[in-house]
Every structure is written in C-alpha cells, then in structure tokens.
Amino acid sequence: MVSRVIPVDTFDLVIFGGTGDLARRKILPGLFRRYCAGQMPPEAKIIGAARSEMDAAEFREMVREAIGEFGSAPQSAGQLDAFLERVFYEAVDAKGDGGWDALKSHLRDDAVRAFYFSVAPSLFGDIAERLNHKGLSTPDSRIVVEKPFGHDLASAKALNATLAQYFDETQIYRIDHYLGKETVQNLMAVRFGNTLFEPLWNAQYVDHIEITVAETVGVGGRGAYYDKSGAMRDMVQNHLMQLLCLIAMEPPAKFEPDAVRDEKLKVIRALDPVEPQDIVRGQYGAGGGEDSYKTHVENDRSRTESFIALKAQISNWRWAGTPFYLRTGKRLRARTSDITVVFKDAPHSIFGADAGRHRNVLSIRLQPNEGMTLDVTIKEPGPGGMRLIDVPLDMAFADALGTDTEAVPDAYERLIMDVIRGNQTLFMRGDEVEAAWAWTDPIIEGWEARGDVPVTYDPGGSGPEDALMLLHRDGRRWREIKV
Ligand code: NAP
C-alpha cells in the first residue's frame, strides 16, 4: 500500500535548542524524512537557535552528522544537500537581547511561523516574552513545548499562566510524543470506526484493562534529571494517562481538537484518588553486569522510583467497577508498550466445567511491531469432544497493510507536521495537563508524607513481586512482558 503524503503549507520553523539532544536525535532527522517524503515544501525554512556561536555552514554540518547518526539514509545523493540549503542558524540567548533581530530577519509574512521550544522548561517564559516583545510572533504563530510540563500542579499552572501572557491556547502545542504514534491514533480508529467494539467497551463487558510501558534501559546519563522526577512524573502523569484517556473516553462528537480533548479531560476528572495499597513503587538493583539505580544517580539514599504499578478506577457510568492497571519501569525484561483489554467471561458456559475458562483479550501493541491481537475462543481441532482453546487473530500493521514502515512518519514527524497544519488534536491542552497533575500530586505527596521507600527489584524481570500481587489479590494476572 502506498501511503498518501499531503504536503503542508510552507513554513518557517525556529528550533530553540537546535544544537541539543532532542533536536539532533528526533526533530532534525524527522524533518529530513518529511522532506524526502515530499511533505515539507521546498521553500520551507528551519532555523536553529541556541547560545553557541556558529554560522549556518557549521550548523548545517552538525545537522548532516545528526541525520547520519540518527536519521535514515538519503534516497539520492543530492537530497541531503538540498535539505540543508533550507537550514539556517542564529546565535540567541533566551535570557539575553542579542540575536533576536537577526532571527526575525529569517521570518516571512506569508509562511506559517512556528517556534519549537526544545530547551529546558525554565527558559519557556524568557523565550515566549522575547518572541512577543521583539516582534517575532504574530497572532497566527505557533509554539511547541516539550515535556516536562511542570513538576506538579502549581508549577504547571505557573507555566500555563506565563505562556498565556503571550500566546492564546490555540497557539500552544504541548507535545506528548506517545500521541503521535500510529497505533495510538489507531486506537481511536478501532474504537470509533467499527461497530464491533464500542458496544462492548464498558464495565458490563470489560473485566479490566492493563497499560504497560516497559523499558530495558536504566537511567543511564539522565540520572541527575530522573532522580528529581521518577516514573510517576516522567511517565505516568503524561504518557500513560494520555493512553488511559484515549482508551476510556466517550466518543467525541467529531474528530476535532477540542471535542477530543474535552472527552479526555472528563476521564481525568473522573479518576478516583489512589489508595496507598493500590500503588507499588520499585527501584532496580544491580544485576546483569549493570549498576543499580542508586549508583547511576550517585545518591545511595535515593527514594525515587524507577518502576511504578498502580490500580486506577474511573468513577463514571461507563467504567465504574472496571479497574485500569498501569505499570511502567526501567531495566525490565523487554522494551514494550501495550494496552490489554480483557473482556469478561461469557455469561454462561454451555460446554461445562471441563472446557475451562476462556476470555476474549484485545492487545494493542504500541511498540515494537505496532499491531493488534484479538484472542478468540474456538474448538480445539480433532476428536475427543468439545475442548476449547484461545487463538490469536493477529494483525501486525506492517504485514496486514503491506505498509513500508520506513515510509510511516514517526511520532515526532507527524506531530511537527500537525503543528504546521494547525491541528491540535494530538496535543495536550493546558487544562488537561493541570487535571493530570491534580490527580498525581496527592499520590506523590502521600508517599512522601509516609516516607515510603521503593522496593528493590531485580533487573531483567517484570518488576517487583508486589506488582504481581496487585493483580493476584484481585484474582487477575498481568500479561507477561515478552521479549
Ligand atoms: P539538551 O541536549 O541539554 O539541549 C539544550 C539546548 O538548549 C541546547 O541546544 C542548548 O544550546 C540550548 N540552550 C541552553 N540554554 C540556552 C539559552 N539560555 N538560550 C538559548 N538556548 C539555550 O536538552 P534536550 O535533551 O535536547 O532537551 C530539550 C528539551 O526537550 C527539554 O525540555 C527536555 O526535557 C525535553 N525532552 C527531551 C527529550 C530527549 O530525548 N532529549 C525527550 C523528551 C523531552 P547552547 O548550550 O548552545 O545554548
């Protein structure tokens, strides 16, 4: 299947932090891929901005190297050179006054204007203020801000208020790259494009839902940052809650930004507080030739969790009584993200007790090998009476659709193109972010007040034993984290 590429309007994209890790690993290689796919107009401009003094030629060399290291190979020798001709650089200090006029001279009146804040959140206010005061932003300009969006409710509110001084909510694109993943959007297509699932998508038919985001890596070089954050702030408050919202929300009237975001917000607001016995926090120990978490963060008293599992309950008509189990952690057995919807038993088994217990399970894999599996119960072939087995209807999207996975835009590419298109559907609104902090803050404050210490878990497994007990206690078990 040939994927259809619709070119976006021409644009001037300024990347503050253009020399940083995120720009080099994701943003610039992603833009190059969109250029090769024919989606980025040939006249579009990308302007890097950071404090380092360098000219456009030096920046282009840096971009060439970044694409060589993190991007895909150019399809023709001239493609990368042609792309680099669209790349510029200005030295600008977010906190200073120099360089802003030079930056402004790149911007055209007839192009979409977007400013990507790929810098520490402490600089967001400085940049927003200068864009406004120095006349770089227009009422149609867009700004893109990265996570972490606040550290708690108070800081998120302060950040929202700062940005709101200079930009309207319709101009602010808060990125959560999980929302840019193909399967995450497919989740909405599956739920709202089929008649099959939606009638069953409620507490009457769904026993429970699991959301797992497992990583094999440890904190590595991000130790100092991570130790101030932990799995709850780094993963649950944003990525896992966004997945939870898409799974649990009511059908929006239209697939439009505010219609979708209104429904997500209602889910967050309907979440019950989490009781201490419904949370398990873990920290990885040493093993497999690797150091423990505490060694990585150089703090042998650290109480930060590198793993969390919790049971969330949504108190609304659709979901009352169906728990959502969320878990995420580092140094686990495999790198995998998936959502598992476990349906209830058939109300009456005509096959008798010998047939055993069988349930339909819908598994949605976000990575690796994006796809879906639906376990369906059938008769085991052969003689010997009616024995039942569960077989998977497996759909790896790449196989099923014959899609060239190289041609499918990754999350960042898709989201940047959505910014240029002016489509905010897959970006978090300010009130959503605040509501998510309003739910997570008391949970964090609770364990801090109690002085809870995370349990140590062995690397390479599925996290602490207690996390297994969280489900066992309810007569359930997690889907295995498979390599
Ligand atoms: P980074 O590697 O430390 O890069 C920071 C960038 O900001 C550099 O280009 C730096 O260049 C520039 N900078 C620093 N101070 C500045 C100032 N006063 N004025 C102008 N530019 C300044 O950070 P990063 O990893 O790219 O992360 C950027 C943002 O994305 C952060 O908010 C981070 O939390 C978020 N994020 C990153 C990732 C990731 O994978 N890296 C993932 C998710 C979110 P100069 O030193 O030359 O000024």
Side-chain angles (χ1 to χ4, degrees), residues 408-449:
V408 175
D410 93 347
Y412 271 96
E413 296 169 40
R414 176 185 306 273
L415 293 172
I416 295 170
M417 292 299 109
D418 277 358
V419 173
I420 306 301
R421 284 193 203 95
N423 184 346
Q424 290 187 303
T425 310
L426 300 174
F427 296 83
M428 293 178 294
R429 210 169 51 192
D431 52 4
E432 262 184 87
V433 175
E434 290 182 15
W437 281 121
W439 183 67
T440 47
D441 268 9
I443 303 175
I444 297 169
E445 285 159 10
W447 73 56
E448 284 175 353

Side-chain angles (χ1 to χ4, degrees), residues 17 19-22 25 50-52 92-94 118-119 146-148:
T19 57
D21 179 67
L22 182 68
R25 276 196 311 118
R51 288 169 307 179
S52 304
V92 177
D93 183 347
S118 182
V119 292
E146 269 293 341
K147 80 164 203 182

